[in-house]
């Protein structure tokens, strides 16, 4: 029987220890959903093991096939440049396929709603609640457009209004979107961080949510997020996708 490719989850990394802890919790959930699948974790910066170190170790073990999955919500600079560059430097014996980033996905919208309900909202609150979809932000126009599209799509599921906001690089900021929803007349305002793990920018989002009624937790190891990882892994295993550095 052919061996399944190893799933290598590639996280950005952070000086904030909560980041790595959340990434590892998410990976544990992925393993629990797919027993028998080998899942490894590598970081681009700040944390260990590095992506390069994991790839070297896999090659030394005799592993041949790897699916490299960017733990990113949008296709911006890291997915387009940083990660492909790291994968090109992998040991030549490895056949690596780079999976797509996690977003957008209906499962991620479900995870956002899960976090809002865990923070105290109910389905009955939707029509009177405005939501700020608070992203880390990016200088990449494609990534910004994706966030705006997600906000428009989410609005059609019954919320009073949904506005995108960004913690860096782009505008508006979370606090500006909160004020806009107040002025729009929403009975309550909730902030939903569209980020995977705690850190500097999620903390900025939290500060910007000071005048909101509800602040949800980051997506973290939500089961829906783990399912998206497995969907991206399965899609990348198909022969139609070109291998990186094969």
């Amino acid at each position: 029987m052919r061996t399944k490719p190893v799933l290598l989850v590639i996280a950005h990394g952070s000086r904030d220890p909560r980041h790595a802890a959340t990434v590892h919790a998410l990976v544990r959930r992925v393993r629990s959903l797919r027993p028998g699948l080998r899942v490894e974790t590598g970081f681009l910066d700040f944390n260990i093991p590095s992506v390069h170190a994991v790839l070297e170790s896999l090659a030394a073990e005799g592993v041949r096939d790897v699916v490299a999955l960017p733990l990113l919500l949008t296709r911006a600079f890291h997915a387009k440049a940083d990660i492909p560059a790291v994968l090109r430097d992998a040991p030549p014996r490895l056949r690596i396929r780079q999976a797509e980033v996690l977003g957008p996905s209906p499962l991620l919208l479900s995870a956002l709603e899960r976090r809002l309900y865990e923070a105290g909202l109910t389905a009955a609150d939707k029509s009177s609640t405005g939501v700020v979809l608070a992203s880390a932000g990016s200088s990449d126009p494609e990534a910004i457009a994706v966030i705006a599209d997600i906000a428009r799509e989410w609005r059609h599921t019954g919320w009073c209004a949904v506005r995108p906001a960004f913690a860096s690089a782009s505008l508006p900021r979370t606090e500006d979107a909160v004020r806009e929803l107040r002025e729009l007349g929403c009975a309550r305002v909730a902030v939903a961080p569209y980020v995977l793990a705690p850190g500097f920018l999620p903390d900025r989002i939290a500060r910007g949510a000071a005048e909101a009624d509800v602040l949800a937790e980051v997506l973290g190891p939500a089961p829906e997020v783990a399912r998206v990882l497995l969907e991206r892994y399965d899609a990348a295993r198909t022969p139609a996708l070109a291998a990186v550095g094969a």
Side-chain angles (χ1 to χ4, degrees):
M1 185 176 69
R2 186 175 179 181
T3 304
K4 294 178 182 177
V6 172
L7 170 55
L8 172 58
V9 176
I10 301 179
H12 182 274
S14 172
R15 292 186 178 90
D16 189 322
R18 297 174 297 168
H19 174 88
T22 302
V23 170
H24 290 310
L26 175 57
V27 168
R28 286 194 298 271
R29 187 177 287 275
V30 172
R31 291 187 183 118
S32 73
L33 292 176
R34 187 73 61 87
L37 173 62
R38 181 173 178 182
V39 187
E40 300 290 342
T41 308
F43 295 90
L44 292 174
D45 207 353
F46 302 115
N47 301 106
I48 57 174
S50 68
V51 176
H52 181 74
V54 175
L55 292 172
E56 290 280 355
S57 177
L58 290 173
E61 289 181 33
V63 170
R64 175 63 173 161
D65 293 308
V66 176
V67 169
L69 195 156
L71 198 60
L72 302 168
L73 293 171
T74 58
R75 182 172 160 76
F77 182 79
H78 292 304
K80 293 177 179 178
D82 283 352
I83 292 175
V86 172
L87 298 181
R88 282 194 294 270
D89 287 337
R93 67 165 287 117
L94 290 175
R95 182 166 54 242
I96 304 174
R97 296 182 178 94
Q98 181 176 329
E100 292 296 329
V101 297
L102 303 185
S105 167
L107 284 169
L108 294 178
L109 284 181
S110 296
L112 286 166
E113 295 210 0
R114 169 191 290 275
R115 293 302 188 222
L116 286 171
Y117 296 153
E118 289 171 350
L121 292 179
T122 69
D125 297 323
K126 291 184 74 168
S127 62
S128 58
T129 301
V131 178
V132 177
L133 180 68
S135 168
S138 173
S139 58
D140 188 309
E142 178 186 350
I144 297 304
V146 166
I147 300 300
D149 287 344
I150 292 170
R152 283 191 292 270
E153 178 183 351
W154 204 15
R155 163 67 181 84
H156 293 311
T157 66
W159 297 100
C160 173
V162 180
R163 295 290 185 271
F166 307 93
S168 68
S170 306
L171 295 173
R173 295 286 182 258
T174 301
E175 53 269 33
D176 299 325
V178 169
R179 283 193 288 270
E180 180 185 350
L181 290 171
R182 291 276 188 223
E183 293 169 2
L184 193 63
C186 297
R188 67 183 64 77
V189 176
V191 173
Y194 190 59
V195 292
L196 288 165
F200 177 76
L201 293 178
D203 284 348
R204 180 179 288 177
I205 290 172
R207 291 193 296 272
E211 296 182 10
D213 301 293
V214 174
L215 171 63
E217 293 291 331
V218 299
L219 294 172
E224 296 88 352
V225 179
R227 287 168 57 196
V228 176
L229 264 71
L230 290 172
E231 284 187 355
R232 299 293 183 256
Y233 168 80
D234 289 337
R237 291 176 61 194
T238 61
L241 290 184
V244 179

